[in-house]
Amino acid sequence: MESIIFIAPPAAGKGTQAALISKQYNIPSISTGDLLRACQNEDTPLSNLIKERLSKGMLVDDDIVLELVKNRIVKSDCDNGYILDGFPRNVAQAIAYDEMLKTLNKKLSHVILLELDKEEAKKRIVGRLSCPNCKSIYNDMFENMKPKEKGICDKCQNSLVKRSDDSAEVYDERYDIYLKETMPLIEFYENKNILYRVDSSNKDVAFNSICNILGENND
Ligand code: AMP
């Protein structure tokens, strides 16, 4: 295994599966959404631009995201492989990423497409909560995904937060962008014979399917 990309409609379980696979194969999971959210905290023109795009559910400019990805994947913890959760988001990013990999002498081995119906995914948005510390995901709308104590992470006791773009309105906008910008990636990677489709309606079944695709060993 070299590196993996996850493609999925918003709220289809991309972050959850990336975290599970990261643990199973002991490789880092890199979320461009998380990298961008971390950049929002300063008061610079770049940070303000990112903040605005994120709050509207719009994509951030390709060159900004490419720079963040490049700076992250050259770190030594990525030497034995890594997962990209949320990148590339359009064909221009995918082409630029191919070039980046050539320059860095790295390879893309699997592209996992998580498939989930729009309405099902939207339901997951409404109650979604995440832990800013350990990245665990919870959902107040589903009995089996609620934290034991309301608003508190089971694993590290940090306070859970709701993402500013997790509203029904912003979801529709993000889904439209997925259809228009990100779905063309399916054909792009199918043509390279590295695209694998996984039904994401059940978390555990999806995880097992991904492990079967990736194989037992991290090699
Ligand atoms: P995510 O956490 O992957 O759902 O991403 C949250 C938001 O971050 C998206 O709605 C975009 O505004 C932005 N974002 C994440 N990844 C990318 C990317 N590869 N290109 C452009 N914008 C991105």
Side-chain angles (χ1 to χ4, degrees):
M1 184 195 313
E2 274 115 358
S3 73
I4 308 165
I5 284 173
F6 275 100
I7 300 177
K14 196 163 47 74
T16 303
Q17 294 299 337
L20 290 169
I21 295 298
S22 163
K23 194 165 169 225
Q24 175 81 7
Y25 291 88
N26 199 21
I27 52 174
S29 170
I30 302 164
S31 154
T32 43
D34 282 349
L35 292 177
L36 289 165
R37 278 185 284 278
C39 294
Q40 291 184 111
N41 302 330
E42 300 144 37
D43 188 18
T44 63
L46 176 64
S47 165
N48 292 334
L49 173 91
I50 294 173
K51 214 179 296 179
E52 193 205 335
R53 297 283 159 81
L54 258 67
S55 67
K56 291 184 180 159
M58 291 162 67
L59 293 186
V60 174
D61 306 41
D62 294 345
D63 52 349
I64 298 174
V65 181
L66 281 157
E67 184 71 16
L68 283 174
V69 170
K70 187 169 182 184
N71 289 340
R72 180 62 188 85
I73 66 174
V74 293
K75 294 200 173 155
S76 59
D77 63 338
C78 294
D79 286 351
N80 294 324
Y82 55 93
I83 302 162
L84 284 174
D85 158 11
F87 174 91
R89 275 297 224 277
N90 58 32
V91 173
Q93 290 183 5
I95 293 170
Y97 183 56
D98 275 353
E99 285 306 310
M100 191 192 297
L101 291 178
K102 268 189 223 150
T103 320
L104 299 175
N105 207 16
K106 289 181 182 281
K107 232 183 130 201
L108 169 61
S109 56
H110 301 81
V111 177
I112 310 285
L113 171 66
L114 298 178
E115 296 185 296
L116 191 68
D117 177 71
K118 179 181 174 185
E119 289 313 312
E120 183 61 31
K122 197 170 171 177
K123 268 198 279 174
R124 295 182 179 184
I125 274 282
V126 186
R128 179 157 80 172
L129 294 164
S130 62
C131 174
N133 180 42
C134 73
K135 313 289 174 220
S136 297
I137 309 278
Y138 300 86
N139 196 313
D140 273 341
M141 302 295 286
F142 298 95
E143 261 332 296
N144 61 347
M145 283 185 74
K146 283 186 180 176
K148 289 193 186 88
E149 192 182 337
K150 198 172 165 55
I152 304 292
C153 179
D154 292 353
K155 291 182 193 140
C156 67
Q157 271 63 57
N158 230 73
S159 293
L160 300 175
V161 294
K162 188 161 176 62
R163 276 171 43 171
S164 61
D165 56 353
D166 273 356
S167 71
E169 300 74 42
V170 177
Y171 184 83
D172 287 338
E173 172 68 20
R174 293 173 68 209
Y175 194 84
D176 287 347
I177 291 173
Y178 173 74
L179 291 181
K180 202 167 130 245
E181 302 272 348
T182 309
M183 277 191 81
L185 286 178
I186 297 172
E187 198 186 336
F188 181 87
Y189 287 121
E190 246 166 7
N191 290 337
K192 292 178 182 282
N193 288 322
I194 49 172
L195 186 100
Y196 301 85
R197 291 172 188 267
V198 170
D199 177 352
S200 194
S201 45
N202 178 293
K203 183 180 105 177
D204 299 328
V205 175
F207 174 64
N208 284 331
S209 305
I210 300 168
C211 289
N212 285 336
I213 291 164
L214 300 178
E216 294 293 321
N217 304 311
N218 179 11
D219 57 18

